[in-house]
Amino acid sequence: QGTRDPMFLTGVSFPPDWPVYSETLIKLSVYGVNDGYQQTVSKESNFLGSSSFSVADFLQSKDQQLSLSLRTADDSATVGTVVVSRMKMGEIEDGEVDHITADMHQKPSCSKGQKYLEFIPINLHTQRMRVTCPRKTDSFYDVVTVGAPAAHSHGFKNGGLQKLLSKYETEKKSTAYQCIYYPPEQAAKAREILCVVSQLQPHISALADQLLQTAQQSPIQPLRDILKSLEEKTEQFVHALKDELVKSALLALHAARPGYISKSQTSAPSTSPIRSDSIPHHKEYDEEEWDRVWASVAKSLNCVIALVDKLQEQDNNNLEPAPSHTLADVITSHNPVCRDQLGVKVQSLKECVAEVAERARCSVSFVLLQEAACSTAQGLQLQQRRDAVFSQALAALACGFVMRLYAGLEDKGFLRQLHAVGLVAQFESLLSTYSEEIGMLEDMEVGISDLHRVAFRITEAASEEAASLQPTVSGRRDRYTVEVPLPHHAFQALPDELRQGKPLHVLPVLFNVGINEQQTIAERFGDISLQERINQKNFEILEGYYKSLTNTVPSECLPCFQTQTDIKELLDTLGQNVVTKKRKNVEILWLAGMICRRINGIRFTSCKSAKDRTSMSVTLEQCSLLRDEHQLNKDYFVRALDCMRREGCRIENVQKNIKCRKYAFNMLQLMAFPKYYRPPEGTYGKVDS
């Protein structure tokens, strides 16, 4: 429905309580839905074809995949093909975990350009290295590997999102003769303000009503508690609406109306404006009026607070403590007009809040309407591209967050850090800044940056069934929430802040260093400014997070490492490296990875397909950890590195993607690779990746 593309993907899940057996027959029917006629045209007239299969046939098929012909109702003709596959949810070191209710398909690297799979991450997997030692507790090192979030099906002929969005915004400015241009960050701010207003206004109104009701039947203390909540919510409301965007948009809104006269115009010695009687005339607009309007909210609140203080003072002065006396008794006995005064002030507060809310809605709605008026069909295409890239990045982030959460459930320091300042999600990229991979990196930069709009919330699962433990995503483009259900015993052991559903934030950072032969060309004859800008910008973000972390959480909350180098020293060295002109400076990636693990972060590694260059990086990091943290003798370092690349997770990942146990490198390419990123003889060759 809603597309002319005959290629599409849909998922079907069977709840655990459904009676599905090997002899169960499953029938697939395909209908075409013509938009605009779907209410009047019967289903039968839109029937395209159907096909059937048994669960036994499916389970016994090669790779658990069936290719079925769609047949017409009278079985006289074939009208298409349906491919049925079993969906899987990632891979861990000792095998794959299947979930009947999974809604994610493992997209192999060779399918990265498939349009109908554009929202699914490429070759997403989790990998855990477990280190055992007789004299110590086991150690675990996790990493998520995923193909660079990018819109392969859209192509990179004209660049990626970063370049395309910049060009689009420039064009909007130059063609915005019928509308006012608001940059993306202001449009996003407008949506945020609209959301805050819609949430806080009814909350404030309800608290105000509760305050009046409580005053008639309760002692002072419950009234105080309600008043405190009312103060907090009103302060949040005022703080959100003091944004300069609201004020400037209100002025622009008035100026856009026919017959608008500004206060400065009316005071100037000029002729009265000539206007047609058919155009409605609006009174002059006082630019300071908005400040007075929202200030009246604070003034009304102060009056309510003062009156409650007065009532409490009367209660203390005129009554001995007695449980039978209520605030209503105090008001009635000592000041009959106080109850009426409180009602008047509370009503005044509600009216002021309502007026401010209405003006704010008009203001930010004007901003959003201007944004829509300036948009073009190209803008919709870019939004779809951005959505597809973000979807891939979000799937990887959710996977990494869940893995990191489960690994740290018994670590009180980690849980404290999680709710106090959130976690860093450190994405390592090995893309080159040459040809198509520039576009991929531009896509990835925007997709990773957009993850700052995502918050996580931990909930208690309804049961311990696999279906009940699946994360769910809700929200809109500007704000997404991923709910992560935990089993009852794990949830109950969490700190109060996490059990109460506090939003948990993850700070995404991206570091990129190209390592292949295309990067050699870029460094000698091309432009690597994109990589330099990304690394410098994200270093500043990481440095800011570390300052916030050290100011909020004691160092005891962070994990212990054998390496004695201070985190601040690692950061300083990283800062020097991101501004140093050095070819293929992979030390940037090593330092960023070390810092991430030292601050309880989530590690991600990517290249175009997360298969070849990614395998070299992941295995190198694992051997470095064994050397630095577990006394791997330097004489065995290269041997261990070759072993990890020849056997185990990474070569299995290659086999899973291309049905061949060969990394997609040739000898000439590897000559351009940094020394420790080259696989052993016999593990690479010319293959279709």
Side-chain angles (χ1 to χ4, degrees), residues 611-623:
K611 178 172 59 67
D612 305 304
R613 282 171 282 179
T614 293
S615 293
M616 301 303 105
S617 178
V618 167
T619 49
L620 176 58
E621 183 186 29
Q622 289 182 163
C623 281

Side-chain angles (χ1 to χ4, degrees), residues 497-603:
E497 294 86 350
L498 298 178
R499 283 190 285 112
Q500 290 166 4
K502 179 180 179 180
L504 310 171
H505 296 282
V506 174
L507 187 72
V509 292
L510 168 65
F511 291 92
N512 184 87
V513 176
I515 63 170
N516 65 2
E517 77 288 354
Q518 290 188 326
Q519 187 64 20
T520 303
I521 298 172
E523 290 175 336
R524 292 184 178 177
F525 311 109
D527 181 10
I528 62 169
S529 59
L530 173 64
Q531 175 175 289
E532 292 174 338
R533 181 182 58 75
I534 288 173
N535 291 341
Q536 290 175 27
K537 174 185 173 183
N538 284 273
F539 166 73
E540 292 170 4
I541 295 172
L542 183 60
E543 187 178 41
Y545 171 85
Y546 180 68
K547 288 178 181 176
S548 174
L549 177 66
T550 52
N551 290 335
T552 311
V553 177
S555 58
E556 295 78 31
C557 291
L558 300 179
C560 296
F561 278 77
Q562 296 294 320
T563 311
Q564 296 301 311
T565 312
D566 182 68
I567 300 176
K568 182 66 171 65
E569 187 178 335
L570 291 173
L571 267 170
D572 291 341
T573 307
L574 177 60
Q576 294 165 12
N577 273 273
V578 297
V579 296
T580 301
K581 300 289 185 182
K582 180 180 177 182
R583 291 178 179 174
K584 297 183 182 175
N585 189 3
V586 289
E587 190 173 351
I588 290 174
L589 303 181
W590 300 348
L591 287 164
M594 277 192 282
I595 293 168
C596 174
R597 294 194 185 279
R598 294 281 292 271
I599 59 176
N600 276 323
I602 312 169
R603 281 277 293 115

Side-chain angles (χ1 to χ4, degrees), residues 2 18 33 35 100 141 153 200 262 278 307-308 388 488 498 509 575 674:
W18 276 34
V33 179
D35 290 344
I100 283 289
Y141 301 95
S153 62
L200 288 182
S262 71
S278 63
L307 193 54
V308 172
H488 173 77
L498 298 178
V509 292

Side-chain angles (χ1 to χ4, degrees), residues 39 82-83 130 147 155-156 172 174 204 228 236 240 260 306 309 331 387 392 401 406 412 428 440 473 482 586 588 614:
Q39 301 299 326
V82 175
V83 177
R130 177 181 178 183
F156 306 99
K172 275 172 62 176
S174 62
I204 291 170
K228 183 180 179 183
Q236 291 174 23
Y260 161 76
D309 287 342
I331 296 172
D387 288 344
Q392 296 175 34
F401 181 88
Y406 273 90
K412 293 182 179 179
E428 170 187 311
M440 294 177 205
V473 184
V482 180
V586 289
I588 290 174
T614 293

Side-chain angles (χ1 to χ4, degrees), residues 86-89 97-103 466-467 470:
R86 186 173 186 177
M87 296 182 174
K88 298 180 178 180
M89 284 289 289
V97 181
D98 293 351
H99 298 281
I100 283 289
T101 55
D103 57 3
Q470 293 293 324

Side-chain angles (χ1 to χ4, degrees), residues 30 33 50 82 135 176 195 218 222 228 251 271 287 293 298 365 453-454 602:
V30 181
V33 179
S50 65
V82 175
R135 296 181 301 278
C195 181
S218 301
K228 183 180 179 183
L251 176 60
T271 59
E287 296 178 23
V293 170
S365 296
R453 300 176 296 174
V454 178
I602 312 169

Side-chain angles (χ1 to χ4, degrees), residues 303-528:
C303 289
V304 172
I305 295 170
L307 193 54
V308 172
D309 287 342
K310 184 177 179 181
L311 294 174
Q312 185 174 30
E313 184 180 345
Q314 290 177 347
D315 187 38
N316 293 337
N317 292 339
N318 301 316
L319 286 178
E320 291 297 324
S324 60
H325 287 291
T326 66
L327 182 59
D329 295 329
V330 178
I331 296 172
T332 306
S333 303
H334 301 284
N335 195 342
V337 298
C338 277
R339 181 167 50 189
D340 294 336
Q341 287 179 337
L342 185 61
V344 169
K345 296 303 180 185
V346 166
Q347 184 61 31
S348 173
L349 174 63
K350 289 172 62 178
E351 289 173 357
C352 289
V353 168
E355 182 183 1
V356 169
E358 181 58 29
R359 294 195 186 208
R361 284 193 192 95
C362 291
S363 170
V364 296
S365 296
F366 179 75
V367 173
L368 297 176
L369 286 169
Q370 295 302 306
E371 182 200 31
C374 292
S375 298
T376 63
Q378 181 193 3
L380 296 175
Q381 293 171 1
L382 280 176
Q383 187 61 64
Q384 184 184 11
R385 184 183 189 119
R386 192 170 188 170
D387 288 344
V389 173
F390 175 75
S391 174
Q392 296 175 34
L394 176 59
L397 179 65
C399 182
F401 181 88
V402 171
M403 193 179 192
R404 185 67 191 86
L405 175 63
Y406 273 90
L409 283 176
E410 297 180 3
D411 184 343
K412 293 182 179 179
F414 164 76
L415 295 175
R416 178 176 176 181
Q417 176 187 349
L418 177 60
H419 70 73
V421 290
L423 303 178
V424 159
Q426 186 252 324
F427 288 81
E428 170 187 311
S429 168
L430 300 152
L431 293 171
S432 69
T433 53
Y434 182 79
S435 188
E436 283 195 340
E437 290 198 5
I438 294 181
M440 294 177 205
L441 183 55
E442 289 175 339
D443 273 1
M444 185 177 186
E445 179 191 8
V446 174
I448 299 305
S449 176
D450 282 348
L451 292 175
H452 78 273
R453 300 176 296 174
V454 178
F456 289 83
R457 182 175 286 114
I458 302 174
T459 61
E460 184 173 2
S463 72
E464 298 203 10
E465 296 288 337
S468 298
L469 297 173
Q470 293 293 324
T472 57
V473 184
S474 60
R476 304 174 68 174
R477 281 196 182 99
D478 295 317
R479 285 287 180 271
Y480 289 98
T481 299
V482 180
E483 290 197 353
V484 181
L486 287 181
H488 173 77
H489 65 280
F491 181 79
Q492 292 301 323
L494 293 174
D496 289 344
E497 294 86 350
L498 298 178
R499 283 190 285 112
Q500 290 166 4
K502 179 180 179 180
L504 310 171
H505 296 282
V506 174
L507 187 72
V509 292
L510 168 65
F511 291 92
N512 184 87
V513 176
I515 63 170
N516 65 2
E517 77 288 354
Q518 290 188 326
Q519 187 64 20
T520 303
I521 298 172
E523 290 175 336
R524 292 184 178 177
F525 311 109
D527 181 10
I528 62 169

